[in-house]
Amino acid sequence: MQELLTEAYGPVLNGNLLEEIAESGHFRDAEKGEMVMDIGDTIQGLPMLLQGAVKVLRVDDNGEELLLYFLESGDSCAMTLGSFFGSSKSSIRAVAEQDSKMVIVPLDKVHDWMGKHADFRQLVFESFNTRLKELIESMDSLAFMDLHGRVAKYLTDRVKVNGSTTLDTTHAEIAADLHTSRVVVSRILKQLEREGMLELHRNRIEVIAF
DNA sequence: TCATTAACACGGG
DNA sequence: CCCGTGTTAATGA
């Protein structure tokens, strides 16, 4: 775990702190597709992603989802910071996009280090800022783009976080993430395929160019 | 006009 | 067979 920590956070956090994290944090493993956190779950600490990618979703009363953003290795989840201001329940759902590994740092440690370590403070604030930007991006696409554009943005984002142009996914999953119906997703994907942007297979999409 | 819902056929694993 | 996929028809915003 020490190596994974160094790999993911070595450039921004000093060695002593990395050791402390390894000591007091709990290791957590998540298989692709596994739900890491759901709405209403108690937040035990600040998750720091070591490997893989996690998608963060909002869920409405009917259980319908909407993708907010992706977390990659070196990212931490901004929403958990809400627990400093009272609420200890999660307001989002997090699902592993790939097989992922992470460390959960207990909240009292986070509190402690926020005061003591400038590098840690910077990491948390930067992560918060990045998440906020991504959130604004998804709001923009929701408000200003048609579904065709949203699907295109969604695919490019997923290609980016997976580091691969091969996406193991289904039309239904895309529809759920974008909070729309599968029919439209199928139609739009078919159209993109005809334009030569991608190739469609069962449970798989090959992205050619965007 | 464009999205949604329901319904159906096809076919691959 | 089950499920993902591709399409159509009807309806709605």
Side-chain angles (χ1 to χ4, degrees):
Chain A
M1 172 157 116
Q2 188 76 42
E3 293 123 54
L4 287 174
L5 261 170
T6 310
E7 213 176 286
Y9 295 95
V12 283
L13 300 180
N14 81 53
N16 291 342
L17 186 51
L18 290 177
E19 271 175 47
E20 269 195 82
I21 293 173
E23 234 171 82
S24 52
H26 320 107
F27 184 75
R28 170 84 192 263
D29 226 329
E31 273 176 42
K32 180 187 168 84
E34 188 181 336
M35 196 185 295
V36 177
M37 169 74 51
D38 201 2
I39 292 183
D41 285 2
T42 304
I43 294 168
Q44 324 91 319
L46 176 76
M48 298 174 66
L49 205 51
L50 300 174
Q51 219 174 58
V54 171
K55 75 176 172 189
V56 175
L57 310 146
R58 187 81 241 241
V59 187
D60 73 10
D61 301 334
N62 305 320
E64 310 248 15
E65 303 182 333
L66 176 68
L67 177 68
L68 297 179
Y69 48 74
F70 290 101
L71 296 177
E72 297 170 72
S73 146
D75 285 333
S76 58
C77 180
M79 297 313 294
T80 53
L81 298 180
S83 31
F84 285 127
F85 308 106
S87 168
S88 61
K89 304 283 193 207
S90 175
S91 51
I92 53 91
R93 171 178 294 169
V95 178
E97 167 76 9
Q98 309 166 4
D99 292 347
S100 300
K101 301 180 198 303
M102 66 201 82
V103 183
I104 315 290
V105 179
L107 287 175
D108 55 334
K109 291 287 178 190
V110 177
H111 232 134
D112 191 19
W113 297 340
M114 284 288 276
K116 266 192 212 156
H117 302 290
D119 48 357
F120 186 78
R121 196 164 48 240
Q122 172 148 355
L123 173 76
V124 170
F125 278 130
E126 258 180 27
S127 183
F128 195 85
N129 188 237
T130 313
R131 296 293 87 72
L132 196 58
K133 277 192 205 155
E134 285 167 351
L135 210 52
I136 289 173
E137 258 188 57
S138 359
M139 288 200 61
D140 278 348
S141 62
L142 242 187
F144 306 132
M145 292 166 79
D146 58 11
L147 261 181
H148 195 281
R150 291 178 61 205
V151 170
K153 172 172 162 36
Y154 173 87
L155 290 175
T156 40
D157 283 353
R158 270 190 87 168
V159 163
K160 204 191 309 162
V161 299
N162 284 295
S164 160
T165 53
T166 304
L167 300 176
D168 294 317
T169 188
T170 65
H171 299 185
E173 189 193 358
I174 299 174
D177 283 351
L178 297 180
H179 201 238
T180 182
S181 65
R182 186 197 57 81
V183 186
V184 235
V185 171
S186 289
R187 187 168 51 237
I188 290 168
L189 287 174
K190 206 67 205 142
Q191 190 183 334
L192 287 170
E193 187 183 41
R194 277 193 292 269
E195 290 166 9
M197 314 289 269
L198 45 81
E199 256 177 55
L200 297 175
H201 307 273
R202 192 185 175 82
N203 282 311
R204 197 174 95 236
I205 298 176
E206 294 282 347
V207 177
I208 313 284
F210 267 99

